Amino acid sequence: MDRYMYGVGIAVLRPLLLMLICIGPHQAVALATQAALDTAIEQHMAPYAEFKHIQISNYTSDQTNIGSITAMVQDTKGFLWVGGENGLARYDGHNVLLYRADNHNSIAGNYVQSLAVDERYVWVATVTGISRFDLNSGVFTNISSATNTLPSNDVTSITRYKNWIFAGTTEGLSVLDADTLKQQTPAFIRKLPALIHIRYVYVYGDELWLGTSHLGLIRVNLLTDEVSYYSPDPKDPKAIAHQDVRGIYSPDGVHYWLASLGGGLILFDSIQKKFTQYAAHASADKPFVTNDVWGVFGDSKGYIWVGTDSAGLWRVNLKTQKIEGYIHDSSVPASIDSNKARLAFEDKDHNIWVGSFSGTLNYYYRGFDQIKHFRKRNRFHKGLNDNAILSIHPAQNGLYWVGTEGGLDLLDPHQGSVTSFSADTGATLKANPVLALETDSQGYLWVGTWGGGVQRYNPKNGQWLSLMNHPDPTKRISNAYIWALKDDGKGNLWVGTQKRGLFKLHLATGNIKHYPFNAMDAGGIVGEFVRDITLDKHGNVWVASLHGLSRYRPESDDFDITTHDPNNTNSLSSNQLIAITAHSNGDMWFASRSSGISVYSPSTKTYRHLSVKEGLPSPAVSCIVEDTLGDVWAGTPSGLVRISADFSQVHVYRQANGLAGSNYNRNACYVDPQGQVWAGSKEGLSIFEPVILEQTQKASHTVLSGLRINYSQAQANTYWQTQTQLPQALHYQQNSVSFEFSLNQFHLPQFNEYRYRLQGFDTAWQNINRGNSAIYTNLDPGQYTFEVKGKSANGQWGDTTTAIRFSINPPPWRQWWAYLLYASFITVAFAAYRNYMAVRARSLVYQQLSQQDQLTELPNRLALNHRIDDWLKAGKSFSVIIIDLDFFKKINDTYGHEAGDVILKAFAKIAQSEIRDCDLLGRWGGEEFLVLCDSSNLGTVKNIAERIQKNVAMQSFLYYHQTIELTISAGCAVRELEENFTELFHRADQALYFAKEGGRNCVMAA
């Protein structure tokens, strides 16, 4: 035993000694600490979760952040409030309202330390006092120690109990009346120390809990005013382990989880009066990764979330006490952004938000946790060789073979890859892309690759055999590109190739027969490019190729050929077949790469066809498979489609519905014996119960999030209830009004849709697919009602409509007394007025037409030049962005000029939605556009250009069922002192040139 322990000691110390010798003691300690953390992480990593990173600075006009995130709450309307070291932000998924102490009607101090919310108010604790935001009026009320209501302005934590507000400060506790803000003095206040540094205040039931910096934990019974202290005591093993308590949470009023900076995570049993410490130096059965715990929070699914100062985000399963964690990994884009993940918060839809020291919001959408995703493996998750899934095939013991663009994996659908093969890992695969998989009656796995031919793998001894390099020429399939493999159950393996047609391998003898392309009298098939092989319920072999369909006739050892007849609708819709499936009802389904799906009924000898007009998102269909309910799942480049056998139901699912991707590969669809659908896309593998995707989420109630009158800044107090009126009628000159609205659902908010109308102006509902605002200009005096409703990215239209009523007063000359004055000459005055308005209208129309591009309806070069002249005369500093549509001539040449016009108009709408009200977008000529930006900040200008570039790149434009991809390049420059426009334009044009030379689809700044 001694020798054993000595050996273990040497094994542990050797790397440490080497580090000390090579890099010095300080670096060695840091590396050893990181190594220990890495080991703990490997043991306790949580199931894969994708975190979306939200930068508040991307939504503010000056690109400023709120600093390290310190607090989060969600109000009754669904808005997310985020406090930081440099302000307070209200986020709705589309926009941010930023509050800072130097603004009118704003918070008391920029350093926000805590937030609380009730039905009417948002409470903000700052280092310079408390701010109360009224959700009805939009008005802040600020209080400080100057009003003798706070013992200190440094308010560290705040919470509400009935009509009291408990405010913890660095010098004691304050109790305020929530309505009057007057200080209250319950009896227990006199029992607390005079100067107590409170870190956290928490209420459960009728008990108040105080976390302090030097006294540990304090408990107050609010019914009896009894005060209990729990401080560290080295002599008492049940005592609290550390005096600094920064967070408190209880799921049941008995067990309290405490965050301690220096003492780790602590669990307090309030009945047994026992503290259990989870820390780096705690007992072996209660380990934790760090002692520096910053915050603790419990969710609705039975987890305690723990924010740390340097070791990421961790969670404790209350049922199993299992500890799992999420940390930052630069190789995993969807990991949390920083290991300083200090606090977590659960919103009303049960999704998790993580605030980090970096100021980034991390968002974890839990709506599709029941859908398993497998992507390329990384440090912490046993993923696959590659994101692009090419084939799926069952193995033994509940495992599955998954072929990817990067190799072959044996996948445990619960844990991840068990075994992995690639062309880079020895004498296994000859090529990485695995397009086809099949198992024969002897248990051998047959692997069809792109570039490595057909290979056989023996799972029992791990040996590989290549048929492309077989020593016996009569048993060699020399083609390197294999698309399909099928065991016919009669001792034969059918092999479909690229350019070499079909082969039949007799498994017992190894003999091979070749069926070449179009050798009809020699038993050949139709097409040398074979894409799929399947068996129908009678055991017949069907072969799909890019030239038609072949069915094997064993009695004559040849094929029946079926092809598309353009003059007969009762035929295949296309010869370019990609996939086949035999339905349990006897029908044969054929997927093509250009004409949707054809279904053949052998009983009636008739075809039915499904294309884009019947609901397919794309004419190209890459894989089809039947599930246990008789529905057919079809993978396309634009989503996964569920089709009922009679075509009565066609539903399309994409990433918004929880899938790993929306672009599906051939042969990458599968249904397992449990009825789960396996959908392999170019972005990863999804495994799910079919019913999961049917659980669509209805849109919640749409709320109004902002109002602009005559293009003023958004009013922060625009927080109306449904069916309420403005406090007063608008002046007749306040006749331009814009509304902002939101669903306050944060999963893919860019895909939210809205409908709105202004009763008294609109005759029909207006639809908006991008953006969340409506603008009305030059409204006539009268009564109006604005209505809006929304649909979430993966849901349905909301049942209710949000409405606000308002009126615009008529001008003085249209008041009742004015009409009395005009009565004597009403006829003459009315006629003169009509003539004047008609002439004025014609003049405005002509002026507008002369400065408007007729195709895009944007300002033309003349209008842009007028704005440039005005700004130059005023000595204004401004910027320009020159935008050029990449390869636009190719679009015109390929699809026609009408398609080009469609693209130009679509781009104009996208770009217009991304610029500010103070900027001007116009068509400079051809496919070139110009944005005049009222800003001298190059970062702001470049951000505008990048928003346009990214929004365009993520769109797919449809022209007569043809998908057209578009990107743009842009160059931007800020006007220098005394610089004329020609010089400014030349510098921006040079930046555009470098963007083009740099590969296009990017933005460059001069």
Side-chain angles (χ1 to χ4, degrees):
M1 178 63 72
D2 290 341
R3 287 196 302 272
Y4 173 76
M5 293 304 297
Y6 175 80
V8 171
I10 290 297
V12 172
L13 289 175
R14 181 179 290 118
L16 293 177
L17 291 171
L18 289 174
M19 284 190 291
L20 284 169
I21 293 170
C22 298
I23 61 177
H26 297 295
Q27 289 175 292
V29 169
L31 288 173
T33 302
Q34 183 61 45
L37 176 59
D38 290 348
T39 301
I41 289 168
E42 295 290 349
Q43 295 173 348
H44 298 288
M45 282 311 299
Y48 183 65
E50 297 181 355
F51 287 89
K52 176 185 176 184
H53 303 152
I54 300 171
Q55 301 292 345
I56 291 176
S57 59
N58 290 342
Y59 297 89
T60 58
S61 59
D62 56 359
Q63 295 184 316
T64 57
N65 213 325
I66 60 170
S68 175
I69 294 175
T70 55
M72 285 182 280
V73 294
Q74 191 172 25
D75 66 26
T76 53
K77 294 290 186 179
F79 290 103
L80 186 73
W81 295 78
V82 184
E85 294 180 348
N86 190 31
L88 175 68
R90 192 200 74 181
Y91 177 57
D92 63 13
H94 298 289
N95 297 302
V96 162
L97 274 179
L98 190 63
Y99 301 94
R100 288 211 171 96
D102 55 353
N103 295 335
H104 175 68
N105 184 35
S106 194
I107 52 180
N110 286 340
Y111 197 133
V112 177
Q113 301 196 90
S114 179
L115 293 169
V117 67
D118 56 35
E119 289 293 324
R120 183 175 177 183
Y121 301 114
V122 174
W123 300 85
V124 187
T126 77
V127 296
T128 50
I130 295 175
S131 299
R132 185 186 71 181
F133 179 77
D134 191 320
L135 295 175
N136 294 324
S137 67
V139 174
F140 279 97
T141 302
N142 297 325
I143 58 174
S144 65
S145 59
T147 60
N148 296 320
T149 55
L150 297 173
S152 167
N153 281 338
D154 193 351
V155 183
T156 57
S157 183
I158 194 167
T159 193
R160 179 162 181 167
Y161 169 74
K162 297 182 179 178
N163 205 47
W164 283 355
I165 294 296
F166 294 122
T169 76
T170 56
E171 298 182 16
L173 179 71
S174 180
V175 183
L176 305 176
D177 183 283
D179 295 323
T180 66
L181 298 180
K182 292 183 178 180
Q183 189 175 37
Q184 308 297 300
T185 55
F188 73 83
I189 287 289
R190 293 187 294 272
K191 299 179 182 181
L192 296 176
L195 293 176
I196 177 174
H197 187 164
I198 298 175
R199 295 283 196 187
Y200 199 79
V201 293
Y202 181 75
V203 171
Y204 191 100
D206 294 312
E207 290 187 326
L208 169 66
W209 298 80
L210 305 177
T212 73
S213 64
H214 58 290
L215 295 177
L217 183 67
I218 300 176
R219 176 184 191 176
V220 179
N221 188 316
L222 298 172
L223 299 180
T224 65
D225 292 318
E226 178 186 359
V227 179
S228 305
Y229 294 87
Y230 304 94
S231 300
D233 184 353
K235 299 179 181 179
D236 184 0
K238 291 186 177 182
I240 191 170
H242 202 271
Q243 73 273 12
D244 191 347
V245 177
R246 290 179 176 256
I248 307 168
Y249 177 79
S250 175
D252 53 16
V254 175
H255 302 90
Y256 288 82
W257 294 85
L258 313 177
S260 173
L261 195 63
L265 180 66
I266 300 171
L267 174 61
F268 176 53
D269 188 318
S270 62
I271 295 179
Q272 298 183 14
K273 305 294 190 297
K274 177 183 177 182
F275 290 88
T276 303
Q277 185 184 23
Y278 296 74
H281 60 270
S283 59
D285 62 328
K286 302 295 182 186
F288 200 61
V289 291
T290 180
N291 292 335
D292 295 328
V293 176
W294 198 270
V296 60
F297 177 83
D299 68 14
S300 61
K301 297 183 181 294
Y303 290 102
I304 299 296
W305 295 84
V306 184
T308 73
D309 194 47
S310 59
L313 177 72
W314 295 79
R315 71 181 189 184
V316 181
N317 188 318
L318 289 177
K319 293 182 180 179
T320 65
Q321 297 292 297
K322 182 179 180 182
I323 300 174
E324 301 170 319
Y326 300 98
I327 75 160
H328 171 68
D329 185 346
S330 58
S331 67
V332 184
S335 67
I336 58 175
D337 83 295
S338 167
N339 283 333
K340 291 180 177 289
R342 290 187 164 181
L343 75 154
F345 173 75
E346 183 183 37
D347 65 22
K348 62 181 177 63
D349 295 320
H350 311 298
N351 303 311
I352 296 297
W353 297 80
V354 183
S356 71
F357 179 78
S358 66
T360 299
L361 271 175
N362 296 266
Y363 175 62
Y364 167 27
Y365 182 71
R366 302 166 87 184
F368 301 116
D369 276 353
Q370 293 173 282
I371 299 177
K372 299 173 185 175
H373 289 171
F374 292 98
R375 293 190 173 91
K376 188 173 182 179
R377 67 177 59 88
N378 57 57
R379 177 184 172 192
F380 305 118
H381 302 287
K382 297 178 181 179
L384 302 168
N385 272 301
D386 195 84
N387 285 337
I389 313 301
L390 303 180
S391 53
I392 303 167
H393 187 70
Q396 294 180 340
N397 303 319
L399 304 180
Y400 293 83
W401 293 103
V402 179
T404 74
E405 189 71 29
L408 177 65
D409 286 277
L410 183 59
L411 179 69
D412 181 336
H414 303 288
Q415 301 295 330
S417 181
V418 174
T419 305
S420 176
F421 300 101
S422 74
D424 307 320
T425 56
T428 57
L429 284 179
K430 300 298 182 183
N432 281 333
V434 176
L435 276 67
L437 296 165
E438 181 64 306
T439 303
D440 64 22
S441 58
Q442 299 299 315
Y444 291 114
L445 177 70
W446 294 86
V447 182
T449 69
W450 182 264
V454 179
Q455 295 181 251
R456 189 188 72 184
Y457 173 67
N458 187 340
K460 296 180 180 179
N461 59 23
Q463 292 183 350
W464 289 82
L465 172 68
S466 172
L467 267 64
M468 189 172 69
N469 300 320
H470 199 286
D472 185 348
T474 64
K475 299 179 180 181
R476 183 184 303 160
I477 299 178
S478 58
N479 190 273
Y481 306 103
I482 309 301
W483 281 99
L485 298 170
K486 192 65 181 179
D487 186 326
D488 63 7
K490 301 174 183 178
N492 302 307
L493 179 72
W494 295 82
V495 182
T497 71
Q498 174 86 355
K499 286 191 176 182
R500 290 278 290 152
L502 184 69
F503 291 84
K504 181 173 68 173
L505 168 65
H506 189 261
L507 294 169
T509 64
N511 294 329
I512 294 172
K513 180 170 183 179
H514 181 216
Y515 298 91
F517 164 51
N518 261 354
M520 300 295 294
D521 55 346
I525 64 169
V526 57
E528 56 187 337
F529 298 91
V530 175
R531 287 296 182 266
D532 198 12
I533 308 171
T534 196
L535 302 177
D536 63 20
K537 66 179 182 178
H538 302 295
N540 295 313
V541 177
W542 295 73
V543 182
S545 76
L546 298 186
H547 293 85
L549 181 67
S550 305
R551 183 173 66 87
Y552 181 61
R553 296 185 296 190
E555 64 277 5
S556 55
D557 195 24
D558 60 6
F559 293 84
D560 282 330
I561 304 301
T562 304
T563 57
H564 166 64
D565 183 353
N567 299 316
N568 183 8
T569 58
N570 190 33
S571 70
L572 286 171
S573 60
S574 170
N575 285 333
Q576 296 184 332
L577 301 182
I578 298 296
I580 316 174
T581 194
H583 198 278
S584 57
N585 64 9
D587 290 347
M588 298 298 297
W589 290 58
F590 309 110
S592 76
R593 69 177 184 181
S594 59
S595 301
I597 295 173
S598 296
V599 178
Y600 176 68
S601 174
S603 60
T604 62
K605 297 183 179 180
T606 57
Y607 282 88
R608 290 176 293 144
H609 304 291
L610 189 72
S611 62
V612 172
K613 65 180 181 180
E614 285 83 30
L616 288 181
S618 167
V621 179
S622 50
C623 63
I624 46 177
V625 64
E626 180 189 1
D627 67 19
T628 54
L629 301 176
D631 291 335
V632 172
W633 294 80
T636 78
S638 302
L640 185 67
V641 189
R642 185 178 189 176
I643 310 164
S644 60
D646 61 359
F647 287 8
S648 62
Q649 299 290 327
V650 179
H651 297 291
V652 182
Y653 305 99
R654 299 184 176 91
Q655 287 168 295
N657 303 97
L659 299 177
S662 298
N663 191 340
Y664 289 88
N665 291 315
R666 188 207 64 84
N667 209 26
C669 298
Y670 177 75
V671 175
D672 64 27
Q674 291 73 40
Q676 294 186 115
V677 176
W678 295 52
S681 70
K682 293 184 178 180
E683 299 91 354
L685 173 66
S686 302
I687 307 174
F688 57 89
E689 297 280 354
V691 69
I692 296 301
L693 299 190
E694 296 299 329
Q695 296 174 352
T696 55
Q697 178 184 357
K698 278 195 174 183
S700 61
H701 187 65
T702 306
V703 297
L704 291 168
S705 56
L707 169 72
R708 296 172 188 259
I709 300 175
N710 287 2
Y711 307 105
S712 65
Q713 293 297 316
Q715 305 298 307
N717 62 348
T718 307
Y719 207 96
W720 301 293
Q721 302 290 335
T722 304
Q723 299 294 341
T724 59
Q725 292 183 338
L726 287 170
Q728 58 186 9
L730 299 177
H731 189 268
Y732 75 93
Q733 291 181 329
Q734 295 176 312
N735 60 356
S736 295
V737 184
S738 67
F739 303 90
E740 294 176 358
F741 32 83
S742 175
L743 282 170
N744 286 336
Q745 287 186 341
F746 305 101
H747 174 58
L748 301 175
Q750 67 270 28
F751 295 120
N752 289 348
E753 296 182 31
Y754 298 94
R755 291 175 181 167
Y756 66 85
R757 66 179 176 185
L758 184 62
Q759 290 193 17
F761 181 87
D762 290 323
T763 58
W765 286 94
Q766 309 296 315
N767 293 322
I768 179 171
N769 296 327
R770 292 290 186 270
N772 64 315
S773 62
I775 303 174
Y776 293 91
T777 60
N778 297 323
L779 292 173
D780 291 330
Q783 299 286 334
Y784 297 96
T785 300
F786 178 75
E787 298 177 302
V788 62
K789 54 184 176 181
K791 181 179 77 172
S792 59
N794 62 327
Q796 301 172 355
W797 288 103
D799 294 331
T800 57
T801 299
T802 298
I804 178 172
R805 296 174 181 169
F806 66 98
S807 63
I808 300 176
N809 280 332
W813 54 86
R814 293 177 60 183
Q815 299 285 353
W816 63 269
W817 48 267
Y819 286 108
L820 291 177
L821 182 64
Y822 301 151
S824 60
F825 52 91
I826 185 63
T827 303
V828 176
F830 181 74
Y833 174 76
R834 287 282 301 271
N835 290 336
Y836 165 75
M837 292 302 293
V839 172
R840 184 170 179 264
R842 285 195 298 271
S843 175
L844 290 174
V845 168
Y846 293 146
Q847 182 180 0
Q848 180 181 5
L849 290 175
S850 69
Q851 298 188 28
Q852 184 182 63
D853 178 62
Q854 296 304 305
L855 176 63
T856 63
E857 298 182 356
L858 293 177
N860 59 18
R861 183 178 289 205
L862 178 61
L864 290 167
N865 284 331
H866 285 171
R867 177 68 63 88
I868 292 167
D869 292 340
D870 291 343
W871 283 2
L872 289 174
K873 290 177 182 177
K876 191 177 188 64
S877 179
F878 62 95
S879 307
V880 298
I881 303 170
I882 305 175
I883 301 172
D884 189 79
L885 275 58
D886 296 332
F887 303 112
F888 185 76
K889 183 178 184 300
K890 184 177 179 181
I891 293 175
N892 278 334
D893 294 342
T894 304
Y895 303 100
H897 288 275
E898 184 179 354
D901 291 346
V902 170
I903 294 296
L904 287 171
K905 290 191 285 186
F907 166 77
K909 291 182 180 179
I910 294 172
Q912 187 69 45
S913 69
E914 295 294 344
I915 67 170
R916 305 168 304 173
D917 292 339
C918 58
D919 302 329
L920 182 65
L921 166 69
R923 186 179 181 188
W924 194 248
E927 65 268 27
E928 196 169 75
F929 295 77
L930 193 72
V931 182
L932 299 177
C933 298
D934 186 6
S935 174
S936 60
N937 186 312
L938 185 58
T940 299
V941 175
K942 189 175 180 183
N943 180 261
I944 293 171
E946 288 176 341
R947 289 206 308 265
I948 298 172
Q949 175 255 324
K950 291 176 182 177
N951 199 344
V952 171
M954 70 181 286
Q955 305 294 323
S956 291
F957 303 90
L958 196 64
Y959 176 74
Y960 286 100
H961 309 312
Q962 298 182 88
T963 300
I964 302 175
E965 303 295 335
L966 177 68
T967 62
I968 66 166
S969 301
C972 51
V974 177
R975 181 183 177 232
E976 297 177 353
L977 188 65
E978 302 299 327
E979 186 179 36
N980 61 40
F981 180 74
T982 300
E983 294 167 334
L984 173 62
F985 184 91
H986 177 69
R987 290 194 299 110
D989 196 43
Q990 279 188 320
L992 173 61
Y993 171 80
F994 288 124
K996 291 283 189 180
E997 288 296 304
R1000 294 181 168 84
N1001 193 22
C1002 64
V1003 175
M1004 298 293 288

